[in-house]
Amino acid sequence: MVEVTVTPQSSLADRPVQIRVQGLSPSQLVTLRAWLKDEHGECFQSRAFFRADGAGEVDPRCHAALGGSYSGIWPMGLFWFLQPDTLFRRLVKRDVAGSPFRVRLEVFDGLCLGTDPKEQPLGSCEAERWYVGPGVQRVPIREGRVRGALFLPP
């Protein structure tokens, strides 16, 4: 059984996470895809092609992506290279304190270029990426023409 894990599963958006795929066949070629929907329902995704090691595992920290949205060793590449499905859209988090981005990670057999709904992933998991830590207080600033927000730690 193929298992995809993200450690930690819930983290701040600027913190690194460890992505790992286990249970593959040795030297199996797979596509690892990350995707999310923003607050307006726009889809952003990235993908990378990997060859499993002798133990049937893929770890982007030490295995180079063979192609896709990026190539080479980029431990956080699936998060950094998220691209919009619709041109000229930007990934912006508006409600930074109320909810996280939920990033879905899926692994597919072979090279998977499309998003055909008939293709079932071998395994998947979800990661939460928060923009404000627990207990942080947001204070709106409105002074003259100055507008902003002050974030105070607990």
Side-chain angles (χ1 to χ4, degrees):
M1 181 173 155
V2 176
E3 181 181 24
V4 182
T5 57
V6 176
T7 309
Q9 186 269 333
S10 183
S11 65
L12 291 173
D14 64 345
R15 300 285 188 235
V17 294
Q18 179 184 357
I19 302 167
R20 198 165 183 191
V21 181
Q22 297 174 299
L24 300 167
S25 301
S27 300
Q28 182 177 356
L29 186 62
V30 295
T31 300
L32 198 50
R33 179 173 79 126
W35 65 273
L36 65 85
K37 286 197 177 188
D38 71 3
E39 294 154 325
H40 297 293
E42 294 290 336
C43 188
F44 291 77
Q45 62 179 314
S46 63
R47 70 186 74 241
F49 312 128
F50 291 94
R51 187 166 299 283
D53 63 13
E57 296 182 2
V58 169
D59 184 345
R61 292 180 309 158
C62 53
H63 297 118
L66 306 173
S69 301
Y70 66 95
S71 61
I73 296 179
W74 291 83
M76 294 293 295
L78 289 167
F79 293 92
W80 292 342
F81 292 98
L82 287 165
Q83 294 293 316
D85 284 355
T86 306
L87 291 177
F88 309 114
R89 300 287 189 209
R90 288 185 2 170
L91 184 57
V92 176
K93 184 71 172 133
R94 304 235 183 260
D95 179 16
V96 295
S99 64
F101 272 140
R102 297 185 196 290
V103 182
R104 187 87 178 150
L105 294 159
E106 300 171 327
V107 64
F108 295 91
D109 186 30
L111 299 178
C112 176
L113 299 173
T115 54
D116 185 2
K118 292 182 228 163
E119 289 192 60
Q120 292 297 314
L122 300 173
S124 65
C125 71
E126 189 171 85
E128 291 182 347
R129 304 294 280 171
W130 289 89
Y131 282 78
V132 175
V136 172
Q137 180 184 2
R138 182 181 188 273
V139 179
I141 305 293
R142 296 180 67 91
E143 186 69 35
R145 295 186 325 189
V146 175
R147 302 288 183 265
L150 174 63
F151 292 88
L152 297 171

